[in-house]
Amino acid sequence: MKVLVTDPISEAGLDVLRDAGHEVVTNYEAEGDDLLAAVADANALIVRSGTEVTREVLEAADDLVIVGRAGIGVDNIDIDAATDEGVIVANAPEGNVRAAAEHTVAMTFATARSIPQAHIRLSGGEWAKGEFLGTELNGKTLGVVGLGRVGQEVAKKLDSLGMDLVAYDPYISEERAEQLGAELADLDVVLERADVLTIHTPLTPETEGLIGEAELAEMEGGYLVNCARGGIVDETALAEAVEDGILEGAALDVFGEEPLPADSPLLDVDDVVVTPHLGASTEAAQENVATSTAEQVVAAFRGEPVLNALNAPSVDESAFPRVEPYIHLAETAGKIAVQLLDSRLESVEVTYEGDIAEEDVELVTASALKGVFRPLEWQVNAVNAPRIAEERGIGVSETKRRQAEDFQSLVTVTVSDGDESIGVCGTLFAGDDARIVRIDGYRVDAIPGGKMMITRNTDEPGVIGHIGSVMGNHGVNIAGMFNARETIGGEALTVYNVDQEVPDAAREELEADDRVIETKYISLNG
Ligand code: NAD
Ligand code: MLT
C-alpha cells in the first residue's frame, strides 16, 4: 500500500509503515494541483497542520483508505467530505498533550516575566534590570477556556504553582472540574477573574473569534496565552489591547495565518511573545504522534479498527478480539438478507443475542449496514454506511438480548420494506467458523461463501433432484446444500453453495415448475 506523507513527521512513524511492508512517499512541498496528483494513487495520507485536506483533495484520491493526522487538531481536514468518500480520519490525541501543556506553561512565564524581551535586550548588550518588573503566578487566578486534555494538564501544572483555577467549558462535568480544583463559570466571569487566561479549545465555528475586542476589554490588567489554534483570538484586537495597556501581555504559539505574515500587528507590540507553532515540537511528542498515526494507518489497511478514528465506529482495543469475528459475520448476514428482499429497503435491524450482546457492537452494526448496502452497489464501507442509511432515510435499530436460544451468540440482520421483513441469523462455531443458522424463520445450517442460491419449494419427492438437474444443464455445479422445511409436505427452503453464477435462464426454468416457488441467486463477493 502507498502512504503519502505531506508534512514532516518523525522517522519512527515512517519506520512503522515501512516495517509493515508499505511504500512511504514523502512530499512536503506538494500544494494545489501537485497535491492532487500526488494523492491520486495513495492509499493513506499522513499530515500535520500544514496540509489542507479539502474535499477536492479527497475526491482526487480514488484509493484512499485513511487520512492520519499526526497530532490533535483536525481543523485542516474536511471530515465531512472524508466521510462522504468513505475515508477514515484519525488523529493522535494523546501523544503531544504533555508537550503542548509544558509549552503553555513556558509561554505563561515568558509573558509574565518578559523573558524573551529581557533576553533580546541583554543579547544586545543592555543590562536592563530595572526595566522589567514581572508578575508572580503564585496566588493569581488562571482562567482556562477549554478544559480538555491539554487544558487539564495546564490546570494541574499551574495549580501546583499556587494559582487558583476558574474554567469555561460547556462540555465538561462539574465533577471533573472539581477533581481538578477548578471552578466552572461562564465566559464573562472567567474573563473578569482571570489574571492569566489560557485557551485550549479546538477551532470550531463556535470558538472562531471567541475572544475579540469586547472580551479582551473584560480582562483588564491580565495576560492572554493561546497555544491552541489561531482564529480563536482576534489578533488585531489583541495587538491593540496589549499596545493600549489594557492587557499586560500576551503569548501566542498559533495564528490565523501560518506562517505568521511579517506584517502582522502582533509583531509590532513589545509585550506580545510569539513562537512558530512549537507546542508539540519535542522529540518525545513527535515520536509519539508519528508512531500512533502510523499504527492506525497499518490497522486500517488490515481492516482492523482504528482506535482514534473521528468518523468511523471504533471499538475498545481490549474488546476487539471478542468482537472482530462478528464484524464479517454481520456483513455477510446483511448481504444475504438484502438480496433476499425483493422490494425497496426501508429499515435494518441488527439483533444481538447471547455473549455478543454484552459487547460494544457499534462497529458490528456498521459492518452489517455495509453488507446491506454493498449489493446495491453504492460506494460503501463501515465509515460511511451509517451516514448513507441516514441520508437515505433508512431506519437503523439495534436490539440486544442476553439469552441466545441454543447458541452462545447470535447476530441477526433483518431488512424490511415496511410490510415484509427478512431476517438472516448467523453464529460462529468454535469461535470463528461462520454459519447461517436461520433464514426468514427457517432453521438452516449453511456455510456462507462466494455464490449461493436460495430456493423456496414444496417439500415433495423429486423436487431437489429436479433443481439439481436444471442447474447441471446450465453448467452450475452444486458444492453443498442444506434443506429446511416447516412441516412434512409443506414449504421448504434450500440453500445451495454453487461454483458458478446461476444464470437467469436457469432460474426462469426452475420457477416455471409449480413445485419451485421462488429462487434467489446470492453473491457474497465484492
Ligand atoms: P480536547 O478535545 O481534549 O479539549 C478541548 C476542550 O475544549 C474540550 O474539553 C471541549 O469541551 C472544549 N470546548 C469545545 N468547544 C468549546 C467552547 N465553545 N467553549 C469552551 N470550551 C470548548 O483537545 P486538546 O487535546 O486539549 O487540544 C486543545 C487544543 O490545543 C486544540 O485546539 C489542539 O489543536 C491544540 N493543540 C495545539 C498544539 C500546538 O502545537 N500548539 C499541540 C496540541 C494541541
Ligand atoms: C496539534 O494540534 O497537535 C498541534 O497543532 C501540533 C502540530 O501538529 O504541530
Side-chain angles (χ1 to χ4, degrees):
M1 295 285 223
K2 178 174 166 183
V3 183
L4 176 67
V5 185
T6 54
D7 292 317
I9 66 162
S10 158
E11 274 298 315
L14 303 182
D15 286 345
V16 169
L17 296 162
R18 290 186 190 114
D19 291 349
H22 302 300
E23 181 196 356
V24 175
V25 177
T26 57
N27 184 344
Y28 306 142
E29 307 302 324
E31 269 183 57
D33 287 347
D34 290 345
L35 177 58
L36 300 184
V39 84
D41 62 345
N43 305 106
L45 172 64
I46 294 184
V47 301
R48 284 183 63 190
S49 57
T51 305
E52 287 295 322
V53 187
T54 59
R55 184 174 286 275
E56 201 185 3
V57 170
L58 290 156
E59 283 175 355
D62 286 342
D63 301 320
L64 204 60
V65 175
I66 180 168
V67 176
R69 161 65 162 108
I72 296 171
V74 284
D75 39 288
N76 53 323
I77 302 171
D78 188 335
I79 297 181
D80 265 356
T83 305
D84 289 344
E85 295 296 313
V87 173
I88 300 168
V89 177
N91 67 350
E94 308 282 350
N96 64 26
V97 168
R98 247 188 316 263
E102 285 183 11
H103 195 67
T104 307
V105 173
M107 293 293 265
T108 306
F109 277 119
T111 182
R113 302 299 293 269
S114 305
I115 294 168
Q117 296 90 334
H119 170 84
I120 289 170
R121 299 282 287 276
L122 185 52
S123 55
E126 245 188 291
W127 186 258
K129 181 170 165 70
E131 286 187 40
F132 294 104
L133 191 62
T135 297
E136 218 166 277
L137 298 183
N138 181 48
K140 299 290 185 307
T141 298
L142 176 73
V144 184
V145 178
L147 204 52
R149 293 187 189 89
V150 179
Q152 291 188 22
E153 196 63 31
V154 170
K156 281 188 227 158
K157 290 184 187 331
L158 289 177
D159 179 50
S160 71
L161 291 176
M163 295 193 84
D164 296 329
L165 306 178
V166 55
Y168 170 65
D169 188 329
Y171 310 109
I172 191 126
S173 70
E174 293 270 1
E175 196 189 338
R176 182 71 193 115
E178 252 171 49
Q179 285 166 357
L180 292 160
E183 183 190 332
L184 282 183
D186 287 343
L187 182 60
D188 52 351
V189 175
V190 173
L191 292 170
E192 205 212 306
R193 286 187 33 201
D195 297 300
V196 176
L197 186 84
T198 183
I199 315 283
H200 299 291
T201 68
L203 176 66
T204 64
E206 207 188 352
T207 61
E208 191 166 4
L210 187 70
I211 308 293
E213 194 184 337
E215 288 72 25
L216 294 166
E218 303 270 321
M219 289 181 56
E220 190 145 14
Y223 295 87
L224 181 138
V225 179
N226 183 11
C227 293
R229 273 294 174 274
I232 300 170
V233 179
D234 179 335
E235 290 172 13
T236 309
L238 177 66
E240 276 169 20
V242 178
E243 181 72 41
D244 296 348
I246 297 170
L247 258 67
E248 286 290 320
L252 305 173
D253 183 46
V254 287
F255 308 93
E257 186 182 341
E258 295 183 5
L260 182 65
D263 62 355
S264 163
L266 293 167
L267 297 174
D268 296 332
V269 185
D270 272 354
D271 289 326
V272 175
V273 175
V274 288
T275 49
H277 203 144
L278 292 183
S281 296
T282 68
E283 218 171 290
Q286 284 313 304
E287 273 192 20
N288 290 341
V289 295
T291 49
S292 154
T293 306
E295 281 162 3
Q296 295 185 79
V297 167
V298 172
F301 287 164
R302 289 188 182 137
E304 291 170 5
V306 174
L307 298 182
N308 299 309
L310 298 162
N311 61 343
S314 56
V315 63
D316 188 74
E317 207 176 350
S318 61
F320 183 61
R322 297 192 298 276
V323 167
E324 187 190 12
Y326 293 94
I327 293 172
H328 190 62
L329 178 68
E331 183 180 338
T332 302
K335 278 185 187 172
I336 298 174
V338 80
Q339 291 178 80
L340 288 174
L341 186 78
D342 245 345
S343 42
R344 198 161 49 82
L345 180 66
E346 286 283 344
S347 67
V348 181
E349 182 184 17
V350 188
T351 307
Y352 298 92
E353 294 168 85
D355 291 354
I356 186 67
E358 310 276 343
E359 305 290 348
D360 172 358
V361 288
E362 191 189 0
L363 184 59
V364 186
T365 299
S367 301
L369 291 178
K370 175 184 166 194
V372 166
F373 295 140
R374 180 56 63 82
L376 306 180
E377 290 175 10
W378 297 337
Q379 285 293 321
V380 65
N381 58 27
V383 177
N384 59 12
R387 177 182 287 198
I388 287 177
E390 199 183 319
E391 282 170 359
R392 290 170 188 259
I394 292 164
V396 178
S397 57
E398 212 175 82
T399 306
K400 285 183 166 184
R401 290 188 207 108
R402 297 277 136 86
Q403 301 296 326
E405 209 185 305
D406 300 338
F407 296 94
Q408 202 165 344
S409 287
L410 290 171
V411 176
T412 306
V413 180
T414 306
V415 291
S416 168
D417 63 6
D419 293 325
E420 279 184 40
S421 324
I422 292 192
V424 174
C425 175
T427 193
L428 295 169
F429 289 166
D432 63 355
D433 190 5
R435 289 299 156 87
I436 299 301
V437 294
R438 231 173 277 148
I439 296 178
D440 201 17
Y442 288 88
R443 280 175 177 265
V444 296
D445 179 6
I447 301 172
K451 304 177 182 73
M452 300 165 83
M453 187 173 79
I454 297 178
T455 64
R456 285 173 201 272
N457 47 270
T458 52
D459 179 40
E460 59 185 287
V463 185
I464 291 180
H466 168 67
I467 293 173
S469 55
V470 172
M471 302 260 268
N473 291 342
H474 285 271
V476 178
N477 187 46
I478 296 172
M481 62 161 280
F482 188 92
N483 181 244
R485 63 185 179 187
E486 281 173 339
T487 50
I488 297 173
E491 200 178 299
L493 180 138
T494 314
V495 183
Y496 300 87
N497 294 94
V498 291
D499 292 335
Q500 289 80 25
E501 188 174 331
V502 181
D504 287 347
R507 291 184 44 224
E508 278 160 22
E509 193 178 331
L510 287 170
E511 287 176 12
D513 189 304
D514 284 349
R515 296 169 299 172
V516 180
I517 302 155
E518 185 183 44
T519 63
K520 285 276 166 59
Y521 172 66
I522 309 281
S523 168
L524 295 184
N525 299 326

